[in-house]
Amino acid sequence: MSETTNTQWKFSARYVVLPTENVDTDQIIPARFLTTTDRVGLGPNAFNDWRYLKDGSPNPDFVLNKPEAKGAQVLVAGHNFGCGSSREHAVWALAGAGFRAVVSSTFADIFRGNSLGNGLLPIQVSPEVLAKLMASHTPATRVHVNLERAELVLPDGETVTFPIPRFSKYCLLNGIDEMGFLLKTADDVAKYESTRPSTFSTLGAAVAA
């Protein structure tokens, strides 16, 4: 299966650091916001209970409310990010908040799958690399992401690779999801079926027996 270069997945971006470990999906998007089935519109509610004070005003101490967080496209998070429930809304909220990738030392399996299926890139690195990213962070530091090569370039120029399933990589690079991939094969399926012998129902014979 060939892969094509999608420049959307070769980018440089500033990042923000959320050092908290075991961030679960209810913290990413609280359950009360799960009434929608629309993928858009959840960005303002990402990390809602940390992001806003009880009176609804922004919490000035939360990382996403810092002036330097504006425009950041990569979230560097603590160990075991995305644990808890399987809600896709967590991924929708992060994407709606402007993130294209999340970097952590480990991800919950279901969160990783939801991310790959919804255009959010989970980049798993070693604990040492994660600590280095957190320690070297400034408002101006940037990382470089190259999905085609599965590489992350750190602010000091060090390049590390990250794991990604081949099929997920193909879909992201080609801008399709699993359904889109299946639809692309429709002509091949029809061609194959046209070469097969006709079939008949055996339901009547079974009833007669």
Side-chain angles (χ1 to χ4, degrees):
M1 183 180 295
S2 63
E3 293 180 349
T4 59
T5 300
N6 185 333
T7 55
Q8 175 187 358
W9 290 108
K10 185 177 181 181
F11 65 92
S12 171
R14 291 186 297 106
Y15 66 94
V16 294
V17 172
L18 181 64
T20 308
E21 296 187 352
N22 304 312
V23 174
D24 64 40
T25 52
D26 192 56
Q27 292 164 327
I28 299 172
I29 184 71
R32 61 186 179 277
F33 298 108
L34 304 187
T35 55
T36 180
T37 57
D38 197 335
R39 298 188 183 192
V40 299
L42 289 174
N45 304 122
F47 302 106
N48 190 89
D49 293 347
W50 293 345
R51 197 172 179 179
Y52 303 103
L53 301 175
K54 290 184 178 180
D55 63 2
S57 61
N59 178 359
D61 295 325
F62 186 59
V63 59
L64 294 190
N65 292 332
K66 302 286 186 181
E68 57 267 26
K70 185 176 182 180
Q73 296 180 311
V74 176
L75 176 66
V76 175
H79 173 79
N80 193 30
F81 187 80
C83 56
S85 70
S86 60
R87 64 192 68 170
E88 278 188 295
H89 295 68
V91 175
W92 301 348
L94 291 169
F99 293 114
R100 300 172 65 183
V102 180
V103 180
S104 182
S105 54
T106 56
F107 294 94
D109 288 341
I110 295 177
F111 176 84
R112 183 201 306 274
N114 286 339
S115 295
L116 292 170
N118 286 276
L120 179 70
L121 183 61
I123 299 177
Q124 184 172 339
V125 297
S126 69
E128 293 75 20
V129 168
L130 184 66
K132 185 176 182 179
L133 273 171
M134 291 183 175
S136 63
H137 176 257
T138 72
T141 49
R142 305 177 76 88
V143 291
H144 302 266
V145 176
N146 187 329
L147 174 58
E148 188 172 26
R149 300 178 64 172
E151 290 180 346
L152 176 71
V153 182
L154 309 186
D156 66 357
E158 179 185 357
T159 299
V160 297
T161 59
F162 56 88
I164 183 169
R166 185 182 178 193
F167 178 67
S168 298
K169 179 180 176 182
Y170 176 86
C171 288
L172 288 171
L173 286 173
N174 287 275
I176 57 175
D177 56 15
E178 293 180 2
M179 181 58 70
F181 175 84
L182 291 175
L183 291 175
K184 285 182 64 175
T185 67
D187 290 343
D188 291 335
V189 171
K191 182 178 179 180
Y192 172 80
E193 290 295 334
S194 69
T195 66
R196 307 295 295 171
S198 299
T199 60
F200 62 93
S201 173
T202 60
L203 181 60
V207 172

